[in-house]
Amino acid sequence: MSVFRTHVLLPVDEGTAQAGVFEVKRRLEKELNARQLLDEIKVLESGSVGIVGRGVILAVYPDRIYYFNVREQDVPRIIDEHLLKGRVVAELDHAPIASATVAASMGKGSKVGLTRTQRRIVLDKAWTIDPESIDEILVAGGYSGLEKIFTDKMSPEAVIEEIKKSGLRGRGGAGFPTGMKWEFTRKAQGEEKFIICNADEGEPGTFKDRLILEGDPHRLIEAMTIAAYAIGAGRGFVYIRGEYELSIERLRKAITQARQYGLLGKNILESGFSFEVEIRKGAGAYICGEETALIESLEGKRGNPRVKPPYPVTHGLWQKPTAVNNVETLANVPGIMVHGAEWFRKIGTDKCPGTKVFTILGHVEYPGLVETDMGTSLREIIFGYGGGIKGGKKFKAALLGGAAGVFLPEKLLDVRMDYESLKENKAVLGSGAVLVMDEDTSIVDMLFSIAKFFAHESCGQCVPCRVGTRQILDIAYRIRQGHGREGDLEALLNLAEVMFTSSLCPLGQSLIMPIKSALENFKEEFMMACGH
């Protein structure tokens, strides 16, 4: 077995593929071969390291040096300077130095950027292994959680109890306890049951599930198999956005490999338990992020939400007991099974254990993805990992949780990012999207964009949402154009409140959050737009 002094990782995701990562890899291997270095330096593809919008990323280990915007012509210089002489090519180095603004906010000498050390549970292997190699996955500890269940002869009830003890809560927005959902599904009447993974990530600014799937697809398969064993399901479905081509391709390969290794299909690991997973593509409807609309779509119908109750745990897919979890929620399960509930509870906060994956976008120096402990402050996420406000400008607001989220002003920068802390501040964690806005951003324009999105995505099934979203859009447009009337702001709130109390599903119920937070925290801006 070869021992390499250096590993060069090339993260492959949708963004780096478009930027030419495969061309850079071929040039790298060609140049290393010409210098007779292939026996010393290993080149391999990996999942995303979380950096987005920086072209081709090249990570050198064990040095922990990250290069970005790498082009084919940069390869010889990186080899000659860094890999041979040990000198970092500074102009390509992703090792940001804190600006004066960041230093003032985070403290002098603070390290910033997405390459900072992170405590990773969900993404612990995603950036260090080839996601298309099951052998690398197994060497790195993949499927250990599933193996432990069958080796220790844990009963389904014992698995559910471990998840309940861990305190794992759904990472899709509502934060419902995962163990309770599994328990309800297992106890529900019916011989046939299903597990569904919601990978229909349609919330604007959210791409965490995509990077999890691209970086470690086997983790999802292992988690779904554990969940299926716990609730008594023989079939599972991954409902995924049709645009996620690389995620779908890698997931298909992973399913095939898992079957070949006896980790999926009939008599898994000779345990007597059988389980199959199928991939179903979504057609791009935001409403299908709601679990009952997703189920309707899976059944081949129009993706309209159902009236609840009954809930999917008793009447889900084809009216049979069904547990629906999103990608990030399930990705926590293998780690809990390997290390135990107590290990998980020591991370994060008492009421919100574990980590959370955040996507940082907007006016920040380093947009991308970060996994950090529940309870980390918003300031730490924006200034520590995001590198602060782009161009040294001032922070104005952050929209948390996507379009169905809340606007937080500067006075709430130190709020802790967990369900309970945000609830106390009239905010929501949502999908984990953090859209950062600088001092030049118009909140009036932002709210108009959100209103336009909701009006477009409403399924039209219930009157409050179908009519309410259009009326809100009309008022928001009028205010944006500088023709606001007396009473428009009050009308916006009233309409949103009516939708909150009477809409069928969370889409209509959620518009109150961006509207109310925008008007409460930036009322003067709206008053000026209305001519007051």
Side-chain angles (χ1 to χ4, degrees):
M1 182 177 177
S2 299
V3 177
F4 299 94
R5 65 173 174 85
T6 301
H7 285 73
V8 179
L9 276 61
L10 289 157
V12 178
D13 56 36
E14 295 282 3
T16 59
Q18 293 175 9
V21 66
F22 299 113
E23 289 81 0
V24 170
K25 183 186 178 186
R26 283 194 291 269
R27 179 69 182 272
L28 185 61
E29 290 173 334
K30 179 181 177 181
E31 295 290 341
L32 288 172
N33 184 53
R35 293 165 175 77
Q36 297 182 339
L37 291 173
L38 286 177
D39 290 336
E40 299 178 39
I41 300 170
K42 175 73 171 178
V43 178
L44 65 155
E45 298 176 16
S46 74
S48 174
V49 293
I51 301 168
V52 300
R54 296 276 175 170
V56 176
I57 310 295
L58 191 151
V60 181
Y61 279 78
D63 305 16
R64 285 187 63 86
I65 297 297
Y66 295 80
Y67 293 105
F68 59 86
N69 290 327
V70 178
R71 302 162 298 171
E72 284 189 69
Q73 55 265 42
D74 297 321
V75 170
R77 184 161 50 133
I78 291 173
I79 293 174
D80 293 337
E81 289 296 308
H82 187 160
L83 300 181
L84 284 175
K85 300 175 183 177
R87 298 192 295 225
V88 174
V89 184
E91 57 267 39
L92 296 174
D93 183 26
H94 187 83
I97 299 172
S99 64
T101 306
V102 174
S105 182
M106 299 300 301
K108 190 176 180 181
S110 297
K111 293 182 179 179
V112 300
L114 297 167
T115 59
R116 293 172 67 196
T117 301
Q118 302 171 26
R119 190 204 303 268
R120 290 189 166 188
I121 296 175
V122 170
L123 294 159
D124 67 334
K125 295 189 289 292
W127 56 292
T128 57
I129 47 91
D130 179 354
E132 297 188 13
S133 169
I134 192 171
D135 292 324
E136 285 197 25
I137 296 288
L138 293 173
V139 169
Y143 293 96
S144 295
L146 184 64
E147 181 185 18
K148 181 181 178 182
I149 288 171
F150 295 137
T151 301
D152 294 353
K153 297 182 179 179
M154 294 178 68
S155 66
E157 291 80 8
V159 173
I160 291 174
E161 190 59 30
E162 194 70 15
I163 298 299
K164 287 173 66 177
K165 285 180 180 177
S166 74
L168 175 63
R169 297 172 64 172
R171 300 302 199 244
F176 190 82
T178 304
M180 287 180 63
K181 180 180 283 190
W182 289 9
E183 186 173 54
F184 293 154
T185 311
R186 179 160 190 84
K187 290 181 177 180
Q189 297 280 329
E191 292 185 8
E192 189 174 21
K193 299 176 181 180
F194 301 100
I195 175 74
I196 295 175
C197 174
N198 182 352
D200 191 54
E201 200 167 44
E203 193 68 61
T206 306
F207 51 89
K208 62 181 177 64
D209 291 347
R210 174 174 66 82
L211 295 188
I212 293 168
L213 289 170
E214 289 176 0
D216 192 358
H218 282 279
R219 192 178 195 89
L220 179 64
I221 295 170
E222 180 183 6
M224 288 187 71
T225 307
I226 292 170
Y229 175 73
I231 68 173
R235 291 174 68 192
F237 297 88
V238 180
Y239 187 91
I240 188 169
R241 284 186 68 172
E243 299 95 328
Y244 282 5
E245 293 182 5
L246 183 58
S247 298
I248 294 168
E249 178 187 342
R250 286 185 168 168
L251 194 55
R252 280 178 174 157
K253 287 181 180 178
I255 289 171
T256 300
Q257 291 172 347
R259 286 197 189 110
Q260 292 171 347
Y261 278 61
L263 298 165
L264 196 62
K266 292 185 180 295
N267 193 23
I268 296 170
L269 294 176
E270 299 182 350
S271 65
F273 174 69
S274 300
F275 175 64
E276 282 290 356
V277 174
E278 298 177 34
I279 299 173
R280 297 291 175 86
K281 294 182 184 179
Y286 177 65
I287 193 67
C288 285
E290 196 277 333
E291 60 182 7
T292 62
L294 182 156
I295 288 170
E296 288 284 295
S297 178
L298 264 177
E299 292 179 357
K301 305 170 189 172
R302 180 184 173 90
N304 286 343
R306 296 176 180 174
V307 176
K308 295 184 288 189
Y311 295 94
V313 291
T314 58
H315 295 75
L317 187 61
W318 297 303
Q319 296 301 309
K320 296 177 180 179
T322 306
V324 183
N325 296 117
N326 83 336
V327 175
E328 186 185 354
T329 306
L330 288 165
N332 279 280
V333 170
I336 294 171
M337 299 316 300
V338 171
H339 302 292
E342 291 306 313
W343 163 82
F344 190 76
R345 290 205 73 95
K346 290 177 182 177
I347 303 166
T349 69
D350 182 50
K351 293 184 178 180
C352 299
T355 60
K356 181 74 186 78
V357 180
F358 294 97
T359 50
I360 314 168
L361 292 173
H363 300 138
V364 289
E365 291 287 358
Y366 306 105
L369 173 145
V370 60
E371 182 177 357
T372 186
D373 290 15
M374 277 280 194
T376 299
S377 72
L378 179 60
R379 184 185 301 275
E380 175 79 6
I381 290 169
I382 294 173
F383 289 89
Y385 292 102
I389 311 305
K390 197 169 185 178
K393 293 188 177 182
K394 293 181 180 179
F395 171 86
K396 180 173 185 177
L399 178 63
L400 303 187
V406 296
F407 291 94
L408 290 189
E410 186 176 14
K411 66 182 181 181
L412 291 178
L413 265 176
D414 291 309
V415 67
R416 299 179 70 186
M417 298 290 280
D418 61 75
Y419 295 110
E420 306 303 325
S421 300
L422 288 170
K423 186 178 179 181
E424 291 171 5
N425 288 277
K426 301 178 183 179
V428 292
L429 193 59
S431 63
V434 180
L435 178 60
V436 181
M437 289 157 271
D438 66 20
E439 57 191 308
D440 298 329
T441 305
S442 167
I443 304 299
V444 174
D445 285 351
M446 287 296 300
L447 190 60
F448 168 74
S449 297
I450 290 172
K452 186 177 180 181
F453 175 79
F454 271 83
H456 179 267
E457 293 295 341
S458 173
C459 73
Q461 186 178 5
C462 70
V463 174
C465 185
R466 181 176 71 243
V467 177
T469 52
R470 296 304 309 182
Q471 291 182 335
I472 285 174
L473 177 60
D474 289 344
I475 296 172
Y477 177 75
R478 188 162 64 235
I479 294 172
R480 181 175 182 251
Q481 294 300 107
H483 304 307
R485 305 169 186 168
E486 186 176 350
D488 272 353
L489 302 187
E490 186 179 354
L492 278 177
L493 271 176
N494 288 340
L495 281 165
E497 286 172 355
V498 170
M499 288 172 60
F500 173 72
T501 57
S502 57
S503 293
L504 180 62
C505 83
L507 189 148
Q509 296 164 8
S510 297
L511 196 46
I512 183 69
M513 291 188 287
I515 289 176
K516 193 171 184 178
S517 60
L519 296 184
E520 284 183 352
N521 295 314
F522 302 95
K523 189 171 183 178
E524 289 186 5
E525 192 170 328
F526 284 88
M527 295 290 285
M528 289 179 63
C530 290
H532 299 308

